[in-house]
Amino acid sequence: MSDHDISLTVNGRKVARRVPARRTLLDFLRSDLGLTGTHAGCEHGVCGACTVMIDGVAMRSCLTFAVQMDGHAVTTVEGVANEDGSFHPVQQALHDNHGLQCGFCTPGIVMSLLSLTEGEQKASREEVLDAMSGHICRCTGYQGLHKAIAQLTEATHG
Amino acid sequence: MKPPPFDYVAPDTLEEALAVLAEHGDDAQPLAGGQSLVPMLSLRIARPAVLLDLNRVAALKGISAEGGALKLGAMTRQVEALTSATVEQTLPGLQEAVNFVGHFQTRNRGTIGGSISLGEPAAENPAFAVAMDADLELQSTQGSRVVRASDYYSGPYMTARTDTELLTSITYRPPAGARIGTLEVSQRRGDFALSGLVACLPVSGGVISDARLCWFGMGSQPLRARSAEAALNGASISGLDIAGRAELALQPPAPKDDSHATADYRRQAGRPVFTRLLIRLTGEGAAQ
């Protein structure tokens, strides 16, 4: 039952903590750092609510240990909006198209959309929709989300 | 849903990693991408004393092609195989199979070698390796050996790897003229297959030879359909009796009822999986 000193970057800020090996990145973000925007859903990788970006790539924070993040950069939903508090285009698209209902699954969806639409190789609408299979919305419907994705991918793919 | 306590080590070199396994044996659990292992820890199905994180071992990474063979370091992430130009040129069929594995977010971290090592009976990577009869390189502090994928599995999550060995690389040797495809039926996109098939059909002059068919999700381990393979060898792809071969292919699988589907459903689903995949692979313009 080992403890480890880790230092990483979270939402652009340097963070150093001591963590037990078994602490998931999800619990580290929520309990150690108080960043409760990342949601704990199924805690076994299926629901997608805990999705964050690790070094710019969308991954499940419940399937990664905090100790593994030593030297890496993590972005959570708290790090998405602009400095002045205005919406990022991903957030704006969800807002414009009623892309969330109760909002529980939304932080994970925001991080997946961000990773797919911000990178050098912008994903097509079909690729983004396919990636949404990794997120479960129990309000169901998904039509607002589909419209938000259409708005997001229209600019780059028409 | 929290993992049990364990000690954690993350060596930088393969030698250090093998030394950990030599010391701790089955008390140590290698951690690759963790997309299956971490849930097993959280559900407390796995309770290792030592978690051996392989993510910093550079020697386990890398994709290379030589003489038509494709070699992957065991820690090659699924997304790396999907986006690699080398894989696309030498074995695009692997990309089709990997695209069925989990979701975009889990493929970003999950590895090919981790999936092959776990040996989940309904997973795509083990079945693809068996269908290609890939060379699986195992190393320990005592040396290395190569096990053919068709000899690797002996039951659910049971492999030829001993407690002090590590899977270090996978080498696929696609036969000349091979038409390779994967198809599965699952409840939702990204779920484990209820019935899945990998087919590798080398075709020369319109005639099949050395066919390989491997079911997944249809029993306790990846399962070759040998009698259907034999019935395909020497057959012409034009006018092929695919329905007849499907019946042969469905003889060996002995799936069991579970919470996802009945055994009968899995066998019923296997028929259109087989038929659709073989129609596609034997159709005009179905080069690899």
Side-chain angles (χ1 to χ4, degrees):
Chain A
M1 189 162 53
S2 52
D3 289 341
H4 302 265
D5 290 314
I6 58 168
S7 61
L8 63 158
T9 306
V10 178
N11 298 332
R13 293 198 180 87
K14 293 273 183 202
V15 172
R17 289 284 193 286
R18 188 166 180 81
V19 292
R22 66 167 170 161
R23 183 153 304 159
T24 62
L25 174 59
L26 169 65
D27 286 341
F28 175 74
L29 292 168
R30 291 178 56 85
S31 303
D32 291 56
L33 302 185
L35 295 172
T36 53
T38 302
H39 285 170
C42 73
E43 292 187 271
H44 64 288
V46 177
C47 78
C50 74
T51 302
V52 298
M53 290 206 297
I54 300 171
D55 300 328
V57 180
M59 298 184 190
R60 305 289 203 228
S61 63
C62 75
L63 300 186
T64 317
F65 292 109
V67 62
Q68 297 183 283
M69 293 298 102
D70 187 38
H72 292 275
V74 177
T75 310
T76 70
V77 71
E78 288 92 343
V80 175
N82 300 317
E83 284 285 317
D84 63 2
S86 62
F87 282 161
H88 181 279
V90 166
Q91 296 169 307
Q92 191 65 50
L94 288 167
H95 181 264
D96 291 348
N97 296 284
H98 199 60
L100 58 132
Q101 293 161 76
C102 86
F104 185 85
C105 66
T106 307
I109 287 175
V110 168
M111 301 319 290
S112 283
L113 291 178
L114 195 64
S115 77
L116 285 161
T117 56
E118 282 248 300
E120 276 178 34
Q121 283 223 306
K122 302 227 174 353
S124 68
R125 184 177 170 186
E126 287 68 32
E127 288 167 333
V128 177
L129 284 173
D130 186 54
M132 289 304 109
S133 71
H135 293 279
I136 294 175
C137 165
R138 290 296 74 165
C139 300
T140 79
Y142 297 92
Q143 293 311 304
L145 179 59
H146 277 227
K147 286 179 197 156
I149 290 168
Q151 177 176 318
L152 272 172
T153 53
E154 212 161 89
T156 45
H157 285 82
Chain B
M1 289 288 290
K2 308 297 176 191
F6 50 77
D7 286 334
Y8 170 88
V9 285
D12 292 318
T13 68
L14 182 57
E15 290 68 30
E16 291 169 275
L18 296 178
V20 171
L21 287 179
E23 186 187 343
H24 295 282
D26 78 343
D27 286 336
Q29 172 64 55
L31 170 65
Q35 305 302 287
S36 297
L37 177 60
V38 180
M40 292 170 82
L41 290 166
S42 290
L43 294 161
R44 310 225 170 180
I45 296 167
R47 306 184 74 110
V50 179
L51 197 63
L52 170 60
D53 187 353
L54 303 172
N55 282 278
R56 293 182 189 272
V57 182
L60 293 173
K61 294 178 181 169
I63 298 173
S64 60
E66 198 180 320
L70 176 70
K71 184 176 181 180
L72 303 182
M75 284 296 291
T76 301
R77 296 198 196 279
Q78 289 149 13
V79 65
E80 291 168 341
L82 287 171
T83 54
S84 158
T86 304
V87 175
E88 192 175 352
Q89 283 157 18
T90 50
L91 190 57
L94 175 63
Q95 296 182 323
E96 187 190 15
V98 171
N99 198 40
F100 280 109
V101 180
H103 303 282
F104 159 76
Q105 298 84 354
T106 62
R107 292 190 295 270
N108 281 339
R109 191 157 182 91
T111 66
I112 305 279
S115 175
I116 288 174
S117 296
L118 180 67
E120 155 64 47
E124 296 81 3
N125 274 306
F128 190 86
V130 170
M132 301 305 297
D133 207 3
D135 288 342
L136 305 180
E137 184 186 21
L138 298 169
Q139 288 194 43
S140 71
T141 54
Q142 304 301 307
S144 70
R145 64 182 176 128
V146 172
V147 177
R148 304 289 291 271
S150 49
D151 299 325
Y152 197 60
Y153 297 102
S154 51
Y157 311 107
M158 292 161 70
T159 72
R161 185 182 76 85
T162 65
D163 296 330
T164 57
E165 287 178 315
L166 207 55
L167 174 66
T168 52
S169 74
I170 306 108
T171 302
Y172 304 92
R173 303 180 194 283
R179 302 178 179 193
I180 299 166
T182 301
L183 193 61
E184 68 177 51
V185 169
S186 62
Q187 285 179 317
R188 290 164 293 261
R189 171 91 174 108
D191 283 5
F192 279 122
L194 300 176
S195 177
L197 182 70
V198 181
C200 171
L201 303 181
V203 178
S204 175
V207 176
I208 300 168
S209 61
D210 190 24
R212 293 99 171 266
L213 303 166
C214 187
W215 292 108
F216 53 100
M218 291 283 268
S220 61
Q221 64 191 77
L223 191 67
R224 291 275 293 269
R226 302 240 180 221
S227 53
E229 291 175 357
L232 284 169
N233 292 336
S236 170
I237 56 168
S238 64
L240 187 67
D241 174 19
I242 290 174
R245 266 73 173 197
E247 296 312 311
L248 273 179
L250 283 162
Q251 282 173 8
K256 293 192 169 118
D257 294 348
D258 64 22
S259 59
H260 302 296
T262 62
D264 185 52
Y265 180 91
R266 289 171 190 270
R267 294 170 64 88
Q268 294 287 346
R271 188 171 291 111
V273 165
F274 182 95
T275 308
R276 284 177 199 163
L277 182 56
L278 264 76
I279 287 173
R280 169 153 69 86
L281 292 181
T282 58
E284 279 178 38
Q288 191 191 356

